[in-house]
Amino acid sequence: VKYDYSHDYDVVEEICEMILNRTKHRPTIGVICGSGLSALGDIVEEKYDIPYEQIKQFPKSTVPGHAGKLVLGVLSGKTVVMMQGRTHLYEGYSVGQVTLPVRVMAHLGIKTLIVTNAAGGLNQKYNVGDIMIMKDHINLAALTGESPLRGANDERFGPRFPALSNAYDSSLAKIAKATAQELGYSSFMQEGVYCAQVGPAFESPAECRFLHLVGADAIGMSTVHEVLVARHSQIRVLGFSLITNISVLDYGDDVLHANHQEVLETGKVRSEDMKILVSNIVGKIE
Ligand code: 6GU
């Protein structure tokens, strides 16, 4: 069987060996920084950076707002490995390439993965700047054949047919809600379903209405593939979507259409809050 999609165990092992030879850090928590949310990396202590260019098998970010490096270090007393910048299917990478860093984080030994992204609010009750705890997802790519788990299954990674019930760990979500409350963030916290489409075009109004009708609260172009790989390896997942714009469900209001600049600007405004929220949560994770 040719490994068109799934990962090669030997490649993952080789990358991990290189990383572990370069740093003394042994991370137990992974964090993926979404569009405009790379500020999280700034507060990591005893930092050891590895630019993606130095890992020849890694996909390289091609989008403004996405740095491209692994950051290992200490956050709130916990050893973490952070992806400052991720890649997306719309850049032309395969689901396998996009999720290789998650396989590597899993093999480094993380037990928890915190994923973040910028997203559009399909739920019209949401406001720009809200932070949505991901309760579940709709993975349009996987439903239509683009799963990072497609292909020969290497049992050393995980089972052939992983379940996605509790994909977003309810006890971690509880910690997130309690922490948000302590920080006085409750007025802009939401909890909902994230849907990923491949992009790069934003959704049409009819697509937005369709996706909202079937239960999606937020829409983006990332994250769900990473979550599949993490769950395949029994890693607990906590996810946050920063709502950077509210999706337009109607016609004649093109002033409000989604644009990447807006996504980055909202990221900047709320990135400080996201930074504080995530670092506080990391401090509470066992
Ligand atoms: Cl409105 N749609 C998608 N697909 N991704 C986004 C977004 C919208 N806003 C930020 N990222």
Side-chain angles (χ1 to χ4, degrees):
V1 183
K2 196 171 177 311
Y3 287 72
D4 275 344
Y5 285 83
S6 48
H7 300 113
D8 187 326
Y9 195 86
D10 296 335
V11 168
V12 173
E13 230 176 11
E14 182 190 322
I15 296 169
C16 288
E17 204 171 300
M18 183 273 276
I19 294 171
L20 295 175
N21 277 332
R22 284 174 59 166
T23 167
K24 63 177 194 317
H25 293 305
R26 297 294 179 262
T28 57
I29 300 170
V31 182
I32 303 181
C33 305
S35 289
L37 295 167
S38 282
L40 268 169
D42 302 342
I43 51 170
V44 174
E45 299 165 88
E46 297 173 50
K47 202 163 14 180
Y48 186 82
D49 287 351
I50 307 178
Y52 296 155
E53 286 77 27
Q54 294 179 14
I55 307 172
K56 66 173 190 296
Q57 300 93 340
F58 265 28
K60 317 295 182 287
S61 312
T62 64
V63 203
H66 278 273
K69 59 186 180 202
L70 275 187
V71 178
L72 290 101
V74 178
L75 182 63
S76 305
K78 304 289 159 66
T79 304
V80 299
V81 53
M82 197 175 279
M83 286 176 69
Q84 250 187 344
R86 61 151 64 88
T87 57
H88 309 78
L89 298 193
Y90 65 75
E91 293 173 77
Y93 295 116
S94 71
V95 262
Q97 286 173 302
V98 160
T99 55
L100 176 61
V102 180
R103 281 284 182 227
V104 167
M105 292 195 282
H107 202 70
L108 287 175
I110 66 162
K111 299 286 177 261
T112 307
L113 178 67
I114 302 178
V115 290
T116 68
N117 57 61
L122 292 168
N123 188 327
Q124 302 291 301
K125 292 187 187 117
Y126 287 5
N127 295 301
V128 169
D130 281 356
I131 295 174
M132 185 190 84
I133 297 170
M134 294 170 73
K135 180 164 75 180
D136 199 348
H137 73 214
I138 296 174
N139 184 342
L140 293 172
L143 291 177
T144 53
E146 289 292 327
S147 166
L149 308 182
R150 187 173 163 218
N153 186 61
D154 193 321
E155 293 282 333
R156 288 172 293 182
F157 288 134
R160 172 76 287 186
F161 300 112
L164 289 180
S165 43
N166 203 32
Y168 298 86
D169 191 274
S170 53
S171 59
L172 289 175
K174 212 181 218 174
I175 293 174
K177 275 178 270 187
T179 308
Q181 188 148 28
E182 285 160 25
L183 291 166
Y185 289 0
S186 298
S187 65
F188 55 85
M189 294 302 295
Q190 304 284 357
E191 190 171 23
V193 175
Y194 174 88
C195 175
Q197 61 120 331
V198 173
F202 291 110
E203 314 67 46
S204 73
E207 287 162 347
C208 288
R209 293 195 297 273
F210 163 66
L211 294 168
H212 186 233
L213 207 60
V214 296
D217 296 295
I219 173 94
M221 303 174 190
S222 69
T223 311
V224 293
H225 335 292
E226 299 152 0
V227 172
L228 282 195
V229 168
R231 292 308 294 149
H232 190 222
S233 297
Q234 267 130 56
I235 288 164
R236 300 191 304 160
V237 175
L238 172 63
F240 296 106
S241 294
L242 173 60
I243 305 301
T244 56
N245 55 281
I246 301 301
S247 303
V248 177
L249 306 187
D250 219 333
Y251 301 101
D253 209 2
D254 202 40
V255 203
L256 292 172
H257 71 256
N259 69 81
H260 190 58
Q261 200 50 41
E262 181 180 46
V263 171
L264 294 182
E265 274 161 24
T266 309
K268 246 182 256 164
V269 172
R270 267 285 182 260
S271 70
E272 191 62 25
D273 299 321
M274 189 72 109
K275 199 164 91 175
I276 294 165
L277 179 63
V278 172
S279 62
N280 274 271
I281 292 167
V282 165
K284 293 181 186 179
I285 293 174
E286 288 319 311

